[in-house]
Structure formats: C-alpha cells, structure tokens
Amino acid sequence: MDFYSSVFELIDMRSFSNLWFWIALAVMWSTASHWVLGVPFDMVLRARRHGGQSEQDLEDLVRINTNRLLFIARVSGLWLLTLGCFLLTMLGGMGFFYGLEIAQALFLLGLPMAVVALISLSTARLIQQEDSSGELLRKRLTRHRLYVQMTGVVSIFVTALWGMYQNMSTGVLGG
C-alpha cells in the first residue's frame, strides 16, 4: 500500500498540476492555429509564394471544407449547438459550482474551442458568400488564423492564471 501512495504522491493526479494537461493544451492550440478551416496553413503560404497549381489546390480544399462545414451547420447545427451548450454548462457547473477540478480543466479547454468553431463557421460563410479566391481567400484564411491565435492566447492566459490559483490554494502553499 505504501508503494501506491508514493506513486500517487509523485504523480499528481489533479488537472492543473499535471504536466499532461499543459501538453494537451499546447498541442490543442498549436493544431488549431495550424489547421485553418481544415487546411494546413503552409498551403496558404505555398499558394502565396508559388501560385498556379498550389493556388488551385488551396481553393479546391477550402471549397470542399467550407461546403462540408456549412452543410453540417445547416443539417444538424441546432442539435450540435444544444449539445455543446449543455456540455459546457454541465462542465462549468460541476467545475466552478461544485469545485471538481477535472470539470474546470475540460471547461477551460472546451469553451475556447467552441469560440473557434463559431469563428470557423463565420469565416466559412463569408468565403462562400463572397466566392473568395486568390488573394481575398488567402486574406480571409490569414485573418481567421489570427483570430484563432488571439483566442488561444487569451485562453492560455486565463487557464494559466486559474491553474496557478488552483495549485496555490490546494497545493503545498495553500494548506
């Protein structure tokens, strides 16, 4: 029994003091800012530099992904919104009202990603309405990436502040 208590003391199982949570947060935001509407951002840069077939590939891939995203939003958007709001409300209540740290961590991961989903839906709608191509399309995708990165910076900052608060109040310093 002493071995197990030593292992669990060494590997802290709380969310905000667990290294895996912070790795997951970094990977999540790195991936979110690299894949712009399902298109790797290096394709946008390659299309800007080389044009031609790279530009055509970018436009085709963006067209496919925006049509797919908008189709999903039209067909089941209300159900997905309802489910997302339910899950975030449940996590927020369990986390911040009942003090369950894993729910707080999942809420702080999920809420900003819901914002990214709304930004993606808005950008896809704009691209389809304008029938964007060429420079306008690259500008839209670059702006979308900037908004995702700004959301990520705010999210990481808020999560880090809350995590430090949790670690100080429940850790060695807090008693």
Side-chain angles (χ1 to χ4, degrees), residues 69-80:
L69 183 63
L70 293 173
F71 175 77
I72 290 170
R74 277 192 294 275
V75 170
S76 57
L78 186 59
W79 285 104
L80 291 173

Side-chain angles (χ1 to χ4, degrees), residues 42-104:
D42 61 288
M43 281 188 76
V44 177
L45 298 176
R46 192 175 325 117
R48 179 176 290 139
R49 272 187 257 124
H50 302 294
Q53 187 61 44
S54 298
E55 184 92 34
Q56 187 61 47
D57 291 346
L58 174 69
E59 290 174 3
D60 290 342
L61 196 51
V62 169
R63 180 183 47 78
I64 291 167
N65 287 335
T66 55
N67 286 343
R68 181 177 165 271
L69 183 63
L70 293 173
F71 175 77
I72 290 170
R74 277 192 294 275
V75 170
S76 57
L78 186 59
W79 285 104
L80 291 173
L81 179 68
T82 303
L83 180 65
C85 289
F86 170 75
L87 288 174
L88 287 173
T89 302
M90 185 182 67
L91 288 172
M94 287 188 328
F96 298 103
F97 187 72
Y98 291 112
L100 189 61
E101 193 171 316
I102 186 71
Q104 292 172 2

Side-chain angles (χ1 to χ4, degrees), residues 111-125:
L111 181 66
M113 290 311 290
V115 171
V116 168
L118 293 175
I119 294 170
S120 297
L121 194 59
S122 174
T123 302
R125 185 187 52 79

Side-chain angles (χ1 to χ4, degrees), residues 11-168:
I11 304 170
D12 195 354
M13 300 308 271
R14 294 179 302 125
S15 299
F16 296 110
S17 59
N18 192 327
L19 179 63
W20 291 109
F21 171 77
W22 297 104
I23 291 172
L25 181 71
V27 167
M28 181 183 81
W29 284 112
S30 174
T31 303
S33 68
H34 178 69
W35 290 88
V36 181
L37 291 179
V39 177
F41 194 71
D42 61 288
M43 281 188 76
V44 177
L45 298 176
R46 192 175 325 117
R48 179 176 290 139
R49 272 187 257 124
H50 302 294
Q53 187 61 44
S54 298
E55 184 92 34
Q56 187 61 47
D57 291 346
L58 174 69
E59 290 174 3
D60 290 342
L61 196 51
V62 169
R63 180 183 47 78
I64 291 167
N65 287 335
T66 55
N67 286 343
R68 181 177 165 271
L69 183 63
L70 293 173
F71 175 77
I72 290 170
R74 277 192 294 275
V75 170
S76 57
L78 186 59
W79 285 104
L80 291 173
L81 179 68
T82 303
L83 180 65
C85 289
F86 170 75
L87 288 174
L88 287 173
T89 302
M90 185 182 67
L91 288 172
M94 287 188 328
F96 298 103
F97 187 72
Y98 291 112
L100 189 61
E101 193 171 316
I102 186 71
Q104 292 172 2
L106 291 173
F107 179 82
L108 290 172
L109 292 173
L111 181 66
M113 290 311 290
V115 171
V116 168
L118 293 175
I119 294 170
S120 297
L121 194 59
S122 174
T123 302
R125 185 187 52 79
L126 274 173
I127 288 171
Q128 192 176 63
Q129 277 181 350
E130 297 173 344
D131 197 25
S132 299
S133 62
E135 181 59 35
L136 181 60
L137 178 62
R138 291 191 306 271
K139 180 180 168 187
R140 287 269 176 238
L141 294 174
T142 303
R143 185 172 295 148
H144 173 79
R145 183 177 192 228
L146 178 66
Y147 292 158
V148 169
Q149 287 175 334
M150 290 182 344
T151 305
V153 166
V154 171
S155 170
I156 291 169
F157 180 73
V158 168
T159 303
L161 283 180
W162 186 256
M164 285 188 289
Y165 170 75
Q166 286 295 103
N167 288 335
M168 288 171 46

